[in-house]
Amino acid sequence: MSSLVKSLQLSTIYLKDFRCFNQITINLDSPVVLIYGSNGTGKTSLLEALYYACYLRSFRTNNARDLITLNKSSFFIKLVVHDNSLNNSIDHTINIGFADNKRLVKINDKATVSYKELLSHYRIVVLAEDDLLLIQGFPEERRSFIDQALMLSNPHFFVKMKEFKTILDGRNALLRNEVINKDIYFIWTKKLWESTYTIQKMRVELLKKLELEINLMLAYYFGPQITIAFSYVGKKQSNMSFEEFWNHNEQLLKDETYFKRSLFGVHLDDFIITYEDRKSKSHSSRGQQKMVVLLIKAAQIKQLIQDKGPVIFLLDDFMTDFDAQRSAVLLSILLSLNCQLIFTSPHNNNPLEPKLKTLGLEYTIVSM
């Protein structure tokens, strides 16, 4: 079997008092990892720990205390990651401890508070059942995806979003006043428009890149008959100068005074996903929607590798609904990403395993 080590590859993870794990060390040192286990054995919790080590937050809860094992007071995560991106293999150790509502992060035994520094050593993308909300859910799910994708590829985007939030809070505070100073309202409106314009531009540019990557994959693996497109929808369009925007929205102040909040900005925007020129949310089958989401994540990884370097892809029980033929094609797409792939499955007759054997690819099985 091939033993090609990926440019960024998890070696081991050690968990103490995290979710259902009192204390466990798991070997993940393989280009492809298949994690098998019945529901409730901790498969998703394991991926949650891997996710937390990258983003310093969970994809299932906003409260880090929820991650602590019952009747315990803290949790600890330790990762060892192979970095072979410069043809000079280096092992990085990432330690994360949480206790007394405080978090301590160390990279190679050196404390860090920099989100950017953590992402320079360890980048992951997760695909789980909840990611279908990218199509089926509300605009906030789509905004959350595109903003997280931008932060992962460009940590400076996080600064832009913080600036936007500060401006939005200031403008909303003004709108809650009984009497609104129109000169100050003009200043806050211009600031919000400028911040919105900048973020919208970054979002649209990334969506265009993802759309191009997705359709290149579709054309290669499925032929030209299938296409996927994104259409960005701004609550108030900013594809004009601020003066034009201001002059075309005389009603805006009256409406915002009534609702006492800002009625435009990137916090209200959305984008539409179309599959074969029809809205995927209302016209695509569940299988088609799952394929679209998988392709979106695959395109995101391609962009990340180009922009920032190697990535690790975690897929939480996402391949079991596809038939054998579609699974084989999608596996080919995943393998073409040339990144470590970690799959979870509730049973050990995963259709991916025979395909991996046929291809002579190295993989590791982890039983939970």
Side-chain angles (χ1 to χ4, degrees):
M1 287 189 177
S2 169
S3 59
L4 182 64
V5 176
K6 299 305 178 184
S7 296
L8 188 68
Q9 185 167 302
L10 280 160
S11 174
T12 59
I13 180 171
Y14 168 80
L15 299 174
K16 180 175 174 59
D17 298 333
F18 185 94
R19 291 289 194 186
C20 61
F21 301 108
N22 290 317
Q23 188 166 262
I24 189 171
T25 299
I26 300 174
N27 174 34
L28 301 169
D29 199 4
S30 177
V32 179
V33 181
L34 305 177
I35 301 172
Y36 296 140
S38 303
N39 291 334
T41 55
K43 301 187 305 297
T44 301
S45 294
L46 173 58
L47 297 196
E48 186 178 21
L50 295 172
Y51 183 96
Y52 189 92
C54 179
Y55 299 98
L56 301 181
R57 62 184 180 88
S58 164
F59 56 75
R60 292 199 287 181
T61 177
N62 293 322
N63 189 347
R65 287 174 295 182
D66 295 339
L67 305 176
I68 302 172
T69 301
L70 188 64
N71 297 323
K72 300 293 183 177
S73 59
S74 62
F75 70 74
F76 180 73
I77 302 170
K78 178 180 179 180
L79 299 180
V80 178
V81 184
H82 295 315
D83 185 348
N84 307 288
S85 57
L86 299 176
N87 297 319
N88 183 22
S89 183
I90 300 172
D91 281 356
H92 296 294
T93 301
I94 299 172
N95 294 319
I96 302 174
F98 181 85
D100 300 323
N101 287 326
K102 295 180 181 179
R103 181 178 60 221
L104 177 62
V105 181
K106 289 186 176 181
I107 301 174
N108 300 328
D109 294 324
K110 182 180 178 181
T112 180
V113 295
S114 171
Y115 177 77
K116 186 183 298 185
E117 186 176 352
L118 185 57
L119 289 179
S120 69
H121 291 87
Y122 176 57
R123 289 174 295 275
I124 65 165
V125 171
V126 177
L127 178 58
E129 188 72 17
D130 285 350
D131 284 304
L132 279 173
L133 292 174
L134 184 55
I135 295 174
Q136 300 171 353
F138 295 104
E140 48 262 40
E141 273 87 24
R142 287 178 285 279
R143 289 195 299 268
S144 177
F145 162 76
I146 194 66
D147 289 346
Q148 184 177 357
L150 279 165
M151 277 188 251
L152 195 55
S153 64
N154 179 9
H156 184 64
F157 180 76
F158 181 74
V159 176
K160 292 296 182 184
M161 286 302 296
K162 283 186 69 174
E163 290 173 354
F164 173 83
K165 182 67 165 53
T166 300
I167 294 168
L168 180 65
D169 289 346
R171 193 170 185 274
N172 284 342
L174 174 68
L175 290 168
R176 288 192 292 269
N177 293 336
E178 290 299 322
V179 178
I180 297 175
N181 183 303
K182 291 187 177 180
D183 291 334
I184 297 176
Y185 174 78
F186 176 87
I187 293 170
W188 277 118
T189 301
K190 188 174 183 180
K191 285 184 177 181
L192 187 65
W193 181 89
E194 290 172 342
S195 182
T196 290
Y197 180 85
T198 299
I199 294 170
Q200 281 183 343
K201 185 177 179 181
M202 296 174 77
R203 286 177 174 177
V204 170
E205 286 177 353
L206 181 57
L207 287 173
K208 286 181 179 178
K209 290 179 181 178
L210 295 180
E211 182 181 302
L212 176 61
E213 291 284 3
I214 289 168
N215 286 300
L216 287 173
M217 287 187 282
L218 284 170
Y220 184 82
Y221 290 98
F222 294 96
Q225 67 273 16
I226 301 176
T227 57
I228 291 172
F230 302 118
S231 301
Y232 193 87
V233 182
K235 191 70 175 178
K236 293 283 185 181
Q237 292 297 331
S238 294
N239 55 350
M240 58 181 76
S241 69
F242 173 71
E243 289 71 23
E244 291 175 305
F245 173 82
W246 179 260
N247 293 330
H248 283 80
N249 286 281
E250 296 87 354
Q251 186 66 28
L252 184 63
L253 175 57
K254 293 179 182 179
D255 293 341
E256 292 185 325
T257 301
Y258 177 79
F259 288 104
K260 297 189 178 300
R261 59 184 174 86
S262 298
L263 296 179
F264 80 97
V266 292
H267 63 301
L268 300 171
D269 291 356
D270 194 4
F271 63 91
I272 297 169
I273 304 170
T274 58
Y275 178 86
E276 296 181 327
D277 297 323
R278 306 176 77 185
K279 288 184 179 180
S280 185
K281 183 174 184 177
S282 53
H283 293 96
S284 298
S285 67
R286 175 181 168 82
Q288 289 170 337
Q289 290 180 352
K290 290 194 75 171
M291 185 181 76
V292 170
V293 173
L294 187 149
L295 290 171
I296 290 172
K297 296 279 184 164
Q300 180 192 358
I301 287 173
K302 281 179 172 284
Q303 278 300 308
L304 273 172
I305 291 172
Q306 290 177 27
D307 295 341
K308 300 299 292 184
V311 184
I312 296 165
F313 197 7
L314 315 179
L315 298 96
D316 189 18
D317 191 18
F318 206 81
M319 300 295 289
T320 51
D321 285 349
F322 298 115
D323 59 37
Q325 183 178 3
R326 183 57 57 89
S327 290
V329 175
L330 294 177
L331 179 59
S332 296
I333 293 174
L334 294 173
L335 292 172
S336 74
L337 300 175
N338 196 28
C339 65
Q340 186 182 29
L341 302 170
I342 300 177
F343 299 90
T344 69
S345 176
H347 43 74
N348 58 6
N349 60 345
N350 192 309
L352 299 179
E353 193 172 342
K355 180 68 173 176
L356 293 169
K357 287 182 178 178
T358 301
L359 294 172
L361 297 176
E362 180 183 348
Y363 63 91
T364 292
I365 294 177
V366 176
S367 297
M368 304 295 289

